[in-house]
Amino acid sequence: MKTIKTVTLFFLLMFSYIIQAKEIKINSLLALAKYASQSGNTITMEPGEYQLTDYFNTDSINSHKARKEYHYINFSGSNNVFNLNGVEIELDTEIRTQLNPPIHSDEFLISGSNNSFSGLTIKCVGNGTSKGGTVLKVAGKANVLKDVTLHVAGSYPYGYGDLFGKGKQKETTIKHRKHSGLLVIGDETKLYGCNVYNRSFGHCFFIQQHPKNVYFEDCYAEGEVRSTDDILAETSGPAFDVNFKTWTQNRDGKYVVTPGYMKSLCEDGFRTYGKCENITFKNCTAKNTRGGFELRFNKASLENCTTIGTERAYWIGDNTKLINCKGDANYGPLLFVEGNNTEVELYVNSAESDRLVHSLITVLGKNNTVVLNTENEKKRKQDLPLLIGYTPPMHGESMSPYSEAEVEELHLKNETGMTVEIGKMVKTSSIETNGDIMNNGGEIQIIKK
């Protein structure tokens, strides 16, 4: 009875709030910034293209620098509804260069809570760069974003992916200026139908600072790819200037760009950092990104997700579930399991290329269940081994070597026809397969189909 009364009171308060909310129509970024800091309103913005330079001019830049405020608009209010369908903000990246913020400063910030946003598009133009910043950061609690689209540009150098390093690592051979898409740090954030088209070195969607209950549905992340052969053909530029020296060694132990591979020019499609609780992805897609879903070190659930042309598709840690997901190994491995107690149901798309790929999956850890099947019953022509008892390559880089690792209580069902290669540190596991077996050292139950 107490629970029923509490729920009833909640809905009465919400209904009262909706009645009291003001409905406001606006047609400028100045007005949007004004109501972004207020609470309890319904704001509808007139569709059209808005230039950030009209709102954020030289005077604005100087005043923001004086106050050490480096965002463009901060949605600090709460309990608002922003109807932004058909609204496109053209973001001149040169503003970022002039503002010269500290590293990792975000541009559009949602710091308030219980807000709803729909239909906004932000498009980066120009030749400015960011120092590790993000176009949009969701920091407040229980915000909902629907049909928000980001077109990201503005990093240096662009065109090489992470071949020459990623940031502060001492091995970095070219200093980067990253620019990422959409960052979530707020609990209970929900994203529906959001898209990031990334033409920048940085992440598309990523999660930091351990938020709880973040939910993605029908979201799309896209980068673009370039062959290492094309990179090596350069006769000038930052890669040429460092003699193509990489931060990660190749399979011959050399630190140099190696021909035959495909690189994504951005970072990951969907990425988590640290232990984030209850992260869910449903019907989401990553295309031509470095990692499709890189979800190491935390619990996550993925259902009906897809990867296309990634360097590595799914990289998962403890207690993660993949349900009815799919992807290809066109440019790199489909799956890295790096943890315990995972459940994987994954369909392999038969797409192939002339690029070098060294495994279909790698698995390490305890008590993992992996079921691999072919999409539409169409199998790959080129054999890619399932490496059981192996680590991912160094830094996830396809041209780098693998190492062996412990596996215990693995339950693998392989319906792909690909070879299963068993490492020396695999114990008490069962493998059902319609492909060949290599290096079975014992304590493994093998069921050939």
Side-chain angles (χ1 to χ4, degrees), residues 321-347:
K321 290 185 178 181
L322 271 65
I323 303 168
N324 195 39
C325 293
K326 62 183 179 180
D328 62 48
N330 198 18
Y331 302 139
L334 175 65
L335 173 69
F336 297 146
V337 176
E338 186 184 36
N340 308 318
N341 306 308
T342 65
E343 297 179 30
V344 174
E345 179 191 20
L346 196 51
Y347 290 84

mmCIF file of all heavy atoms in Angstrom, residues 321-347:
data_model
loop_
_atom_site.group_PDB
_atom_site.id
_atom_site.type_symbol
_atom_site.label_atom_id
_atom_site.label_comp_id
_atom_site.label_asym_id
_atom_site.label_seq_id
_atom_site.Cartn_x
_atom_site.Cartn_y
_atom_site.Cartn_z
ATOM 1 N N LYS A 321 26.803 -9.587 -21.635
ATOM 2 C CA LYS A 321 25.980 -10.451 -22.472
ATOM 3 C C LYS A 321 25.824 -9.846 -23.862
ATOM 4 O O LYS A 321 25.533 -8.661 -24.004
ATOM 5 C CB LYS A 321 24.589 -10.639 -21.861
ATOM 6 C CG LYS A 321 24.559 -11.470 -20.589
ATOM 7 C CD LYS A 321 23.123 -11.706 -20.141
ATOM 8 C CE LYS A 321 23.067 -12.572 -18.892
ATOM 9 N NZ LYS A 321 21.671 -12.828 -18.460
ATOM 10 N N LEU A 322 26.024 -10.674 -24.889
ATOM 11 C CA LEU A 322 25.700 -10.326 -26.270
ATOM 12 C C LEU A 322 24.578 -11.246 -26.721
ATOM 13 O O LEU A 322 24.750 -12.467 -26.746
ATOM 14 C CB LEU A 322 26.916 -10.507 -27.188
ATOM 15 C CG LEU A 322 27.877 -9.326 -27.360
ATOM 16 C CD1 LEU A 322 28.561 -9.003 -26.047
ATOM 17 C CD2 LEU A 322 28.909 -9.630 -28.438
ATOM 18 N N ILE A 323 23.447 -10.664 -27.062
ATOM 19 C CA ILE A 323 22.276 -11.443 -27.461
ATOM 20 C C ILE A 323 21.931 -11.100 -28.912
ATOM 21 O O ILE A 323 21.659 -9.943 -29.238
ATOM 22 C CB ILE A 323 21.070 -11.128 -26.551
ATOM 23 C CG1 ILE A 323 21.432 -11.400 -25.079
ATOM 24 C CG2 ILE A 323 19.851 -11.939 -26.965
ATOM 25 C CD1 ILE A 323 20.412 -10.856 -24.103
ATOM 26 N N ASN A 324 21.982 -12.097 -29.784
ATOM 27 C CA ASN A 324 21.578 -11.927 -31.180
ATOM 28 C C ASN A 324 22.297 -10.754 -31.850
ATOM 29 O O ASN A 324 21.706 -9.978 -32.589
ATOM 30 C CB ASN A 324 20.059 -11.735 -31.284
ATOM 31 C CG ASN A 324 19.546 -11.918 -32.695
ATOM 32 O OD1 ASN A 324 20.008 -12.793 -33.427
ATOM 33 N ND2 ASN A 324 18.602 -11.093 -33.088
ATOM 34 N N CYS A 325 23.597 -10.634 -31.593
ATOM 35 C CA CYS A 325 24.394 -9.586 -32.219
ATOM 36 C C CYS A 325 25.121 -10.149 -33.434
ATOM 37 O O CYS A 325 25.224 -11.362 -33.613
ATOM 38 C CB CYS A 325 25.392 -9.014 -31.218
ATOM 39 S SG CYS A 325 24.610 -8.116 -29.849
ATOM 40 N N LYS A 326 25.640 -9.252 -34.278
ATOM 41 C CA LYS A 326 26.318 -9.705 -35.493
ATOM 42 C C LYS A 326 27.404 -8.720 -35.897
ATOM 43 O O LYS A 326 27.428 -7.569 -35.456
ATOM 44 C CB LYS A 326 25.320 -9.887 -36.637
ATOM 45 C CG LYS A 326 24.601 -8.612 -37.061
ATOM 46 C CD LYS A 326 23.576 -8.904 -38.150
ATOM 47 C CE LYS A 326 22.840 -7.619 -38.554
ATOM 48 N NZ LYS A 326 21.833 -7.874 -39.616
ATOM 49 N N GLY A 327 28.290 -9.215 -36.775
ATOM 50 C CA GLY A 327 29.341 -8.358 -37.285
ATOM 51 C C GLY A 327 30.217 -9.126 -38.257
ATOM 52 O O GLY A 327 30.043 -10.333 -38.452
ATOM 53 N N ASP A 328 31.147 -8.402 -38.887
ATOM 54 C CA ASP A 328 32.054 -9.049 -39.834
ATOM 55 C C ASP A 328 33.483 -8.998 -39.311
ATOM 56 O O ASP A 328 33.786 -8.328 -38.326
ATOM 57 C CB ASP A 328 31.959 -8.407 -41.220
ATOM 58 C CG ASP A 328 32.349 -6.933 -41.232
ATOM 59 O OD1 ASP A 328 33.406 -6.587 -40.660
ATOM 60 O OD2 ASP A 328 31.606 -6.119 -41.808
ATOM 61 N N ALA A 329 34.345 -9.744 -39.983
ATOM 62 C CA ALA A 329 35.783 -9.692 -39.731
ATOM 63 C C ALA A 329 36.480 -9.219 -41.001
ATOM 64 O O ALA A 329 37.527 -9.725 -41.385
ATOM 65 C CB ALA A 329 36.304 -11.048 -39.285
ATOM 66 N N ASN A 330 35.884 -8.239 -41.638
ATOM 67 C CA ASN A 330 36.357 -7.744 -42.917
ATOM 68 C C ASN A 330 37.736 -7.108 -42.807
ATOM 69 O O ASN A 330 38.625 -7.339 -43.637
ATOM 70 C CB ASN A 330 35.348 -6.740 -43.470
ATOM 71 C CG ASN A 330 35.500 -6.502 -44.953
ATOM 72 O OD1 ASN A 330 36.113 -7.292 -45.656
ATOM 73 N ND2 ASN A 330 34.938 -5.410 -45.441
ATOM 74 N N TYR A 331 37.925 -6.274 -41.762
ATOM 75 C CA TYR A 331 39.197 -5.577 -41.573
ATOM 76 C C TYR A 331 39.898 -5.951 -40.271
ATOM 77 O O TYR A 331 41.015 -5.488 -40.017
ATOM 78 C CB TYR A 331 38.977 -4.065 -41.597
ATOM 79 C CG TYR A 331 38.350 -3.534 -42.866
ATOM 80 C CD1 TYR A 331 37.366 -2.549 -42.824
ATOM 81 C CD2 TYR A 331 38.744 -4.010 -44.113
ATOM 82 C CE1 TYR A 331 36.796 -2.052 -43.984
ATOM 83 C CE2 TYR A 331 38.172 -3.525 -45.279
ATOM 84 C CZ TYR A 331 37.192 -2.543 -45.204
ATOM 85 O OH TYR A 331 36.627 -2.061 -46.362
ATOM 86 N N GLY A 332 39.254 -6.732 -39.435
ATOM 87 C CA GLY A 332 39.850 -7.093 -38.159
ATOM 88 C C GLY A 332 38.982 -8.075 -37.411
ATOM 89 O O GLY A 332 37.886 -8.428 -37.863
ATOM 90 N N PRO A 333 39.421 -8.546 -36.231
ATOM 91 C CA PRO A 333 38.703 -9.577 -35.487
ATOM 92 C C PRO A 333 37.279 -9.162 -35.092
ATOM 93 O O PRO A 333 36.988 -7.979 -34.913
ATOM 94 C CB PRO A 333 39.576 -9.776 -34.244
ATOM 95 C CG PRO A 333 40.940 -9.350 -34.675
ATOM 96 C CD PRO A 333 40.711 -8.215 -35.625
ATOM 97 N N LEU A 334 36.448 -10.169 -34.950
ATOM 98 C CA LEU A 334 35.053 -9.952 -34.582
ATOM 99 C C LEU A 334 34.868 -9.789 -33.084
ATOM 100 O O LEU A 334 34.009 -9.026 -32.636
ATOM 101 C CB LEU A 334 34.217 -11.133 -35.082
ATOM 102 C CG LEU A 334 32.737 -11.160 -34.700
ATOM 103 C CD1 LEU A 334 31.996 -9.994 -35.340
ATOM 104 C CD2 LEU A 334 32.107 -12.491 -35.121
ATOM 105 N N LEU A 335 35.675 -10.516 -32.279
ATOM 106 C CA LEU A 335 35.400 -10.561 -30.837
ATOM 107 C C LEU A 335 36.678 -10.764 -30.044
ATOM 108 O O LEU A 335 37.485 -11.631 -30.370
ATOM 109 C CB LEU A 335 34.427 -11.712 -30.549
ATOM 110 C CG LEU A 335 34.142 -12.037 -29.081
ATOM 111 C CD1 LEU A 335 33.331 -10.911 -28.426
ATOM 112 C CD2 LEU A 335 33.388 -13.365 -28.963
ATOM 113 N N PHE A 336 36.836 -9.968 -28.969
ATOM 114 C CA PHE A 336 37.820 -10.232 -27.921
ATOM 115 C C PHE A 336 37.056 -10.434 -26.621
ATOM 116 O O PHE A 336 36.344 -9.523 -26.171
ATOM 117 C CB PHE A 336 38.788 -9.054 -27.723
ATOM 118 C CG PHE A 336 39.657 -8.728 -28.904
ATOM 119 C CD1 PHE A 336 40.014 -7.412 -29.174
ATOM 120 C CD2 PHE A 336 40.159 -9.724 -29.736
ATOM 121 C CE1 PHE A 336 40.831 -7.088 -30.242
ATOM 122 C CE2 PHE A 336 40.974 -9.415 -30.816
ATOM 123 C CZ PHE A 336 41.316 -8.094 -31.072
ATOM 124 N N VAL A 337 37.177 -11.614 -26.006
ATOM 125 C CA VAL A 337 36.631 -11.842 -24.668
ATOM 126 C C VAL A 337 37.784 -11.724 -23.689
ATOM 127 O O VAL A 337 38.740 -12.488 -23.749
ATOM 128 C CB VAL A 337 35.965 -13.227 -24.547
ATOM 129 C CG1 VAL A 337 35.502 -13.472 -23.105
ATOM 130 C CG2 VAL A 337 34.786 -13.335 -25.505
ATOM 131 N N GLU A 338 37.686 -10.769 -22.788
ATOM 132 C CA GLU A 338 38.765 -10.476 -21.839
ATOM 133 C C GLU A 338 38.152 -10.361 -20.443
ATOM 134 O O GLU A 338 38.064 -9.286 -19.862
ATOM 135 C CB GLU A 338 39.468 -9.166 -22.238
ATOM 136 C CG GLU A 338 40.693 -8.850 -21.414
ATOM 137 C CD GLU A 338 41.285 -7.495 -21.786
ATOM 138 O OE1 GLU A 338 40.523 -6.563 -22.096
ATOM 139 O OE2 GLU A 338 42.507 -7.378 -21.757
ATOM 140 N N GLY A 339 37.706 -11.498 -19.916
ATOM 141 C CA GLY A 339 37.063 -11.452 -18.613
ATOM 142 C C GLY A 339 36.363 -12.753 -18.294
ATOM 143 O O GLY A 339 36.564 -13.775 -18.961
ATOM 144 N N ASN A 340 35.504 -12.705 -17.281
ATOM 145 C CA ASN A 340 34.840 -13.894 -16.772
ATOM 146 C C ASN A 340 33.318 -13.745 -16.845
ATOM 147 O O ASN A 340 32.781 -12.641 -16.863
ATOM 148 C CB ASN A 340 35.243 -14.129 -15.310
ATOM 149 C CG ASN A 340 36.745 -14.145 -15.112
ATOM 150 O OD1 ASN A 340 37.480 -14.716 -15.917
ATOM 151 N ND2 ASN A 340 37.215 -13.513 -14.045
ATOM 152 N N ASN A 341 32.665 -14.909 -16.892
ATOM 153 C CA ASN A 341 31.202 -14.967 -16.781
ATOM 154 C C ASN A 341 30.484 -14.187 -17.878
ATOM 155 O O ASN A 341 29.499 -13.486 -17.638
ATOM 156 C CB ASN A 341 30.745 -14.445 -15.404
ATOM 157 C CG ASN A 341 31.433 -15.150 -14.261
ATOM 158 O OD1 ASN A 341 31.450 -16.380 -14.195
ATOM 159 N ND2 ASN A 341 32.036 -14.379 -13.361
ATOM 160 N N THR A 342 30.974 -14.308 -19.099
ATOM 161 C CA THR A 342 30.300 -13.672 -20.225
ATOM 162 C C THR A 342 29.406 -14.669 -20.949
ATOM 163 O O THR A 342 29.631 -15.881 -20.884
ATOM 164 C CB THR A 342 31.315 -13.100 -21.232
ATOM 165 O OG1 THR A 342 32.059 -14.173 -21.807
ATOM 166 C CG2 THR A 342 32.269 -12.126 -20.561
ATOM 167 N N GLU A 343 28.396 -14.152 -21.625
ATOM 168 C CA GLU A 343 27.503 -14.963 -22.453
ATOM 169 C C GLU A 343 27.406 -14.293 -23.818
ATOM 170 O O GLU A 343 26.937 -13.156 -23.920
ATOM 171 C CB GLU A 343 26.122 -15.075 -21.818
ATOM 172 C CG GLU A 343 26.109 -15.787 -20.471
ATOM 173 C CD GLU A 343 24.720 -15.860 -19.879
ATOM 174 O OE1 GLU A 343 23.737 -15.899 -20.656
ATOM 175 O OE2 GLU A 343 24.614 -15.858 -18.628
ATOM 176 N N VAL A 344 27.844 -15.011 -24.859
ATOM 177 C CA VAL A 344 27.939 -14.422 -26.193
ATOM 178 C C VAL A 344 27.131 -15.243 -27.188
ATOM 179 O O VAL A 344 27.320 -16.457 -27.304
ATOM 180 C CB VAL A 344 29.404 -14.351 -26.666
ATOM 181 C CG1 VAL A 344 29.476 -13.875 -28.116
ATOM 182 C CG2 VAL A 344 30.222 -13.443 -25.753
ATOM 183 N N GLU A 345 26.229 -14.572 -27.894
ATOM 184 C CA GLU A 345 25.512 -15.144 -29.036
ATOM 185 C C GLU A 345 25.748 -14.211 -30.214
ATOM 186 O O GLU A 345 25.218 -13.102 -30.266
ATOM 187 C CB GLU A 345 24.021 -15.264 -28.742
ATOM 188 C CG GLU A 345 23.207 -15.827 -29.897
ATOM 189 C CD GLU A 345 21.705 -15.694 -29.678
ATOM 190 O OE1 GLU A 345 21.285 -14.854 -28.848
ATOM 191 O OE2 GLU A 345 20.960 -16.415 -30.362
ATOM 192 N N LEU A 346 26.584 -14.664 -31.152
ATOM 193 C CA LEU A 346 27.098 -13.765 -32.174
ATOM 194 C C LEU A 346 27.035 -14.428 -33.544
ATOM 195 O O LEU A 346 27.392 -15.596 -33.700
ATOM 196 C CB LEU A 346 28.551 -13.414 -31.828
ATOM 197 C CG LEU A 346 29.241 -12.233 -32.491
ATOM 198 C CD1 LEU A 346 28.408 -10.966 -32.398
ATOM 199 C CD2 LEU A 346 30.601 -12.003 -31.842
ATOM 200 N N TYR A 347 26.578 -13.656 -34.542
ATOM 201 C CA TYR A 347 26.461 -14.148 -35.911
ATOM 202 C C TYR A 347 27.533 -13.472 -36.771
ATOM 203 O O TYR A 347 27.702 -12.253 -36.729
ATOM 204 C CB TYR A 347 25.071 -13.859 -36.476
ATOM 205 C CG TYR A 347 23.998 -14.699 -35.816
ATOM 206 C CD1 TYR A 347 23.434 -14.300 -34.609
ATOM 207 C CD2 TYR A 347 23.576 -15.897 -36.386
ATOM 208 C CE1 TYR A 347 22.463 -15.075 -33.985
ATOM 209 C CE2 TYR A 347 22.594 -16.677 -35.774
ATOM 210 C CZ TYR A 347 22.056 -16.259 -34.577
ATOM 211 O OH TYR A 347 21.103 -17.040 -33.963
#
